[in-house]
Amino acid sequence: MSLLVPQTFWDRLSLLHDSLATGECWNDVDSIAVPIDPPSEDAAFTKSSAFFIHLFGLELHDSLAMLCKGALHVLATDEKCAMLKALQEEGQSAGLKFQLHRVCKDNHESTHAILAKLVKSQAGRKIGCLEKIQFQSTLALALNKAIQSAGAECIDVTSVLGMALSVKDGHALATFRKAAVVTHKILKHSFVRLLEDAFDQAKSITHEEIATHVDECCEHPSKVNIKSPQGHYESCYFPIVQSGGKYDIRPSASTNGETLSDDVIIISLGVRYNFHCANMARTFFVDPVESVRLNYSILLELRRECLAVMLAGRCVGSVAETANRFIRQRCPHLLKFLPKNFGFGLGLDFRESSLIMNAKNQRKFAQNMVFNLAIGFHDLELTDMQKADAQGSIRKLSKYSMLIADTVLIQSGDEPPDIVTKHSVEWKDVSYFINEKNDKDIMPPQGKHYTPEQVESQSAIMSSRLRERSKACAPDRSSLARNEKQAELMQQKLSVKRSEKSSAWSQQGQLSSRADILEVDVYQHRPVH
C-alpha cells in the first residue's frame, strides 16, 4: 500500500474541513482529534483506521491527527513525517494548511508539550473524539491529559465521522467496484466449483473446509486463476457456509464443522481490496420442492421492492418499511420470518453502524454511498405435506432459511441503485436437481397440462446435475440421445451405399476407415453467468 496521490488527499481534506467548518452534523465541535494505536495482531479495524486510510491511504500506526479550522496537524515519527512531506509539498488547498509535528517515542515530555500547545491554541473548547474506542498509545494518553489540562470538552463524533466518510469519491468507488468483481469471481470460481464437485463426485466436505478454501482465495485470488488488479486483498470476515437445517442469516453468523448437506445451502463472503469492502451472499437449492421455489420467488420480488426505494434523498429506514409492508400485504404468513435489519452501509469499516437498514433509521441515502443489501427469510417451515414428493436430503429438513446479499451503489436522483456484485439470483442459476425423476413423475401445476415437448424439456431440467460447466460438465442426456440417433441413421445410409456402390467405397477408404468420427463426445453447454 502507498500514500494517496496529493490531489486526492487535498480534495478529501478540503471536503472534511469544509463540513467541520460549517458545523453541519458535527455537534458544534471546534476540531476533531483522532489517534491511532501501534499495530498489534489482535487489533480490530476501527473508525480511527478508517479516518487515516481515507485521508492518507495508510493507517500510519502510532500517530495522531487533529483537524482544526484552517489546518490539519499530524503528530508522527520522523519516518512517517518524511513520507507525508510529499503530500505537504506537492499539493495545496486555499485557506487550508497541513502541518507536521515530529515526535519521539522515548521523549514523552516533548510529546505532551506539543499536544498541550495545540489543544490550547488550535483545538477550541469543544473537541470531537472517538470515545467508543479504548486507545492505548502514548499519543492518545497525552491527548486526554492535554484536553483535561486545557479545560476543553470532549464530544463523541464516532457516528458523525462515519457519515462524513460514507459518501465516496471516484477513487474510492473504483476500488469498491474492483472489490465487488473479485468477490463475485471467488463465489463463482471457488465456492460454486467446490459445491458442484461435491455433488458430482458424491464427495464429503465440511462447511469449515469450504469456508477455509474460499477464505484463502479471498486473500490470494490467483489460487483460482482470477485475473485481479494489483493490490492488497483480504477477507472481510471468515466466509459463512450453512446447510442441513441449521441457519443464521445475521452478519454475526459463523461457519460450523458439520458436513455439507445437499439441501439448502447459504454462502456469505466479503473481500476487502485496498481496505474497501464488498459483500455478497447467495442461497443454493438442491432438489427443492415447490413451496421452496415459491418462497424464493417471493424473496426475489421483495428484493426488487427494496432496491426500488434505495434512492438518493430517501430514508435509509424506508427499506425495512417497504419490506414489511410488502410481505404484510402479499404474504402475511411470511412476516414472522423477516429479519429486523436489511443490511448496512459499507466502507472502510465493513459495517457502518450509523447506516443500519432498519425501520428506525431516519438518515438519508446520498449519491455515491455504498450499502450491503441483505434480504432473507429465517427458519421457514417445511411440512411433511410440502415434502411429500421430495427427492434427496431436503426430505430431512423441517426448517430452512434463504438469503441474498449484494453490494449496492446509490445513484443520483431517481436513478435506480447499481448492484456491483453481479452473480445471478435467478432460480435456474441457483437450483440443482441431482436426484432424477422419471418422465411420468413430472406433473404440471394444478389446472395445467404439459405438451410432449414441455415434458421433454422438464425432464431435461430434472436430469441436469450441474450448471455453469460450459466445457467440463456432464453429458446432456437428451442431446446425447439425439446424436446417437443421428449416428444410427447415418450408419444405415452407409450400409445402403455399401451394397449399391461397392466400387465407390474403394475410392473413399478414408470414410470407411473413419466411421469412428460418428462417435461424438457431447458436452452439456450452459451459459456462464
Side-chain angles (χ1 to χ4, degrees), residues 9-65:
F9 163 74
W10 283 103
D11 288 345
R12 291 182 177 181
L13 177 58
S14 296
L15 286 172
L16 195 59
H17 174 266
D18 292 346
S19 173
L20 178 64
T22 60
E24 183 181 356
C25 301
W26 284 94
N27 300 329
D28 296 321
V29 299
D30 301 304
S31 62
I32 55 174
V34 183
I36 184 167
D37 281 341
S40 64
E41 291 184 0
D42 57 348
F45 192 89
T46 65
K47 195 70 69 187
S48 173
S49 299
F51 174 82
F52 274 86
I53 292 169
H54 174 76
L55 271 186
F56 306 107
L58 297 171
E59 288 186 88
L60 299 179
H61 288 289
D62 207 12
S63 302
L64 184 146

Side-chain angles (χ1 to χ4, degrees), residues 7 21 27 69 101 123 165 179 199 208-209 239 253 296 306 340 357 435 457 477 490 494 515:
Q7 188 60 54
N27 300 329
K69 292 179 180 178
H101 305 268
L165 303 184
F199 296 159
E208 194 168 28
E209 288 172 336
Y296 186 74
C306 291
K340 293 181 179 179
M357 288 195 282
N435 290 284
S457 174
R477 289 174 43 167
M490 184 61 71
L494 289 175

Side-chain angles (χ1 to χ4, degrees), residues 84-361:
L84 294 172
K85 195 76 173 174
L87 299 178
Q88 190 181 46
E89 293 175 346
E90 294 185 26
Q92 293 294 331
S93 179
L96 184 58
K97 297 180 181 179
F98 176 31
Q99 298 186 355
L100 300 172
H101 305 268
R102 290 174 171 80
V103 295
C104 179
K105 292 181 180 179
D106 300 326
N107 192 340
H108 298 326
E109 291 184 5
S110 173
T111 300
H112 280 274
I114 293 171
L115 270 173
K117 183 178 179 181
L118 275 177
V119 170
K120 187 174 182 179
S121 63
Q122 301 289 327
R125 304 305 300 170
K126 294 183 177 181
I127 302 173
C129 302
L130 304 181
E131 297 235 284
K132 297 178 181 178
I133 304 175
Q134 300 297 317
F135 293 105
Q136 302 297 325
S137 69
T138 300
L139 281 169
L141 298 176
L143 173 66
N144 291 335
K145 184 176 180 180
I147 291 173
Q148 292 174 2
S149 298
E153 182 182 1
C154 190
I155 298 175
D156 184 56
V157 293
T158 305
S159 61
V160 181
L161 181 60
M163 289 300 297
L165 303 184
S166 65
V167 177
K168 320 302 180 188
D169 58 20
H171 180 274
L173 291 176
T175 309
F176 271 109
R177 291 184 182 279
K178 291 175 182 177
V181 168
V182 173
T183 304
H184 159 235
K185 287 185 175 181
I186 289 172
L187 175 68
K188 176 181 176 181
H189 296 293
S190 175
F191 175 77
V192 172
R193 184 57 59 95
L194 279 176
L195 189 70
E196 293 182 346
D197 283 346
F199 296 159
D200 191 37
Q201 301 169 20
K203 182 169 60 177
S204 176
I205 187 169
T206 67
H207 300 148
E208 194 168 28
E209 288 172 336
I210 295 174
T212 298
H213 179 77
V214 173
D215 187 62
E216 291 171 354
C217 293
C218 291
E219 306 275 345
H220 306 286
S222 59
K223 282 181 175 288
V224 283
N225 299 319
I226 293 176
K227 293 182 179 179
S228 51
Q230 292 293 322
H232 176 72
Y233 295 89
E234 60 182 330
S235 288
C236 296
Y237 54 90
F238 190 68
I240 305 166
V241 181
Q242 304 174 79
S243 71
K246 297 179 181 179
Y247 303 98
D248 185 350
I249 61 174
R250 296 174 299 179
S252 57
S254 59
T255 295
N256 61 36
E258 295 185 7
T259 301
L260 178 73
S261 179
D262 53 349
D263 39 48
V264 177
I265 302 155
I266 300 177
I267 169 71
S268 302
L269 73 154
V271 172
R272 178 179 277 118
Y273 169 64
N274 287 353
F275 299 110
H276 293 73
C277 301
N279 189 67
M280 68 186 304
R282 290 292 183 270
T283 306
F284 295 88
F285 305 89
V286 183
D287 296 319
V289 295
E290 180 65 8
S291 63
V292 173
R293 185 192 67 80
L294 289 174
N295 285 336
Y296 186 74
S297 68
I298 293 168
L299 188 69
L300 292 183
E301 288 187 55
L302 175 61
R303 178 174 179 261
R304 287 191 288 270
E305 293 289 323
C306 291
L307 285 167
V309 298
M310 294 182 71
L311 305 175
R314 296 288 296 268
C315 283
V316 171
S318 64
V319 173
E321 292 172 356
T322 298
N324 281 278
R325 183 171 57 252
F326 174 81
I327 295 299
R328 188 179 295 110
Q329 294 175 352
R330 178 74 182 275
C331 307
H333 65 285
L334 294 177
L335 193 60
K336 63 181 178 180
F337 304 114
L338 273 181
K340 293 181 179 179
N341 300 334
F342 293 83
F344 45 82
L346 283 170
L348 297 168
D349 275 345
F350 172 67
R351 184 173 180 265
E352 177 49 64
S353 58
S354 300
L355 292 172
I356 304 296
M357 288 195 282
N358 57 33
K360 297 179 180 179
N361 198 332

